[in-house]
């Protein structure tokens, strides 16, 4: 695995452009095959490599997992803006949530509660990559100290304890 310093523009070099159509991270390099866009990467890895399944195999559950991922990446913009990933990797924000972000948070909680019910450990029968997306969105709030229903905060914290997530979360990062 190779990390890039985005603040230093390492993704805008011609060398990186040669491997990444989008010049964004993440990009997978698998031999002479190059692929950007995280959902495309996880679907490719699931199709090609054995090991821990990233998506449910049952078609309807798989479609719902993709639905969760696509929704979280295209909606809830005020949360993504006001609780950026700096909250996850560097430090909390001390600005209160705007009314628009509060509204987005309520929408997120309602959807997460519907998906998880009262007692589910994961979104589907077993862990899948959409659990990471949902936990990441919730943790923008949880790790910042914003109010999150206990059931959802517990789910997000548990998901964050997963070894692979901890490996990723504790990668060295350049100072801000
Ligand atoms: N839709 C893309 C988004 C990727 C993305 O936003 N990457 C950011 C870092 S989290 C990035 O590379 N930013 C640098 C830039 O756009 O110049 C995906 O899911 O992979």
């Amino acid at each position: 695995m190779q990390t890039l310093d985005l603040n230093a523009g390492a993704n805008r070099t011609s060398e990186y452009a040669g491997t990444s159509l989008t010049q964004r991270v993440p990009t997978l390099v698998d031999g002479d095959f190059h692929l950007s866009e995280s959902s495309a990467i996880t679907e490719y890895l699931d199709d090609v490599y054995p090991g821990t399944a990233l998506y449910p195999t049952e078609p309807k559950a798989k479609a719902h997992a993709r639905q969760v991922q696509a929704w979280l990446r295209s909606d809830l913009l005020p949360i993504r803006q006001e609780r950026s990933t700096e909250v996850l990797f560097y430090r909390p924000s001390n600005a209160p949530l705007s009314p628009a972000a509060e509204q987005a948070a309520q929408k997120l909680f309602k959807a997460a509660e519907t998906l998880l019910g009262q007692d589910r450990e994961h979104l589907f029968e077993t862990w899948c990559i959409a659990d990471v997306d949902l936990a990441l969105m919730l943790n923008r709030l949880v790790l910042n100290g914003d109010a999150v229903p206990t059931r959802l905060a517990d789910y997000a914290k548990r998901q964050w304890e997963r070894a692979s997530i901890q490996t990723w979360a504790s990668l060295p990062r350049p100072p801000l």
Side-chain angles (χ1 to χ4, degrees):
M1 183 176 60
Q2 198 184 331
T3 55
L4 291 187
D5 184 350
L6 298 178
N7 291 333
N11 57 316
R12 290 193 288 275
T13 62
S14 53
E15 190 195 348
Y16 190 65
T19 63
S20 171
L21 182 75
T22 60
Q23 287 188 259
R24 300 181 111 191
V25 295
T27 286
L28 175 76
V29 178
D30 186 19
D32 60 2
F33 177 70
H34 301 158
L35 186 65
S36 295
E37 285 297 318
S38 44
S39 297
I41 292 171
T42 50
E43 290 186 29
Y44 170 79
L45 292 174
D46 227 20
D47 286 344
V48 170
Y49 287 98
T52 306
L54 299 179
Y55 289 93
T57 46
E58 193 279 313
K60 287 179 180 159
K62 187 171 185 172
H64 273 156
R66 287 171 166 155
Q67 169 184 256
V68 168
Q69 288 190 297
W71 174 58
L72 292 172
R73 282 164 199 192
S74 60
D75 196 0
L76 312 178
L77 184 62
I79 300 179
R80 286 188 277 131
Q81 284 173 330
E82 294 175 35
R83 297 295 182 255
S84 75
T85 50
E86 275 181 33
V87 165
L88 302 172
F89 302 128
Y90 289 95
R91 59 179 178 219
S93 157
N94 47 27
L97 291 173
S98 67
E102 287 284 4
Q103 201 179 21
Q106 292 309 317
K107 186 176 175 185
L108 170 66
F109 300 157
K110 188 166 184 292
E113 277 162 355
T114 301
L115 288 163
L116 288 165
Q118 279 313 304
D119 53 2
R120 296 180 76 102
E121 193 181 337
H122 308 293
L123 285 169
F124 303 99
E125 224 162 272
T126 56
W127 174 88
C128 84
I129 195 73
D131 283 298
V132 179
D133 291 76
L134 181 58
L136 191 150
M137 186 60 84
L138 288 166
N139 272 330
R140 290 173 186 266
L141 302 168
V142 175
L143 299 179
N144 199 68
D146 297 305
V148 174
T150 309
R151 156 93 182 95
L152 300 180
D154 289 348
Y155 160 81
K157 285 186 210 150
R158 237 187 6 258
Q159 289 294 332
W160 221 240
E161 285 163 9
R162 195 176 173 83
S164 55
I165 303 302
Q166 277 302 305
T167 303
W168 169 65
S170 41
L171 285 173
R173 291 183 165 78
L176 283 176

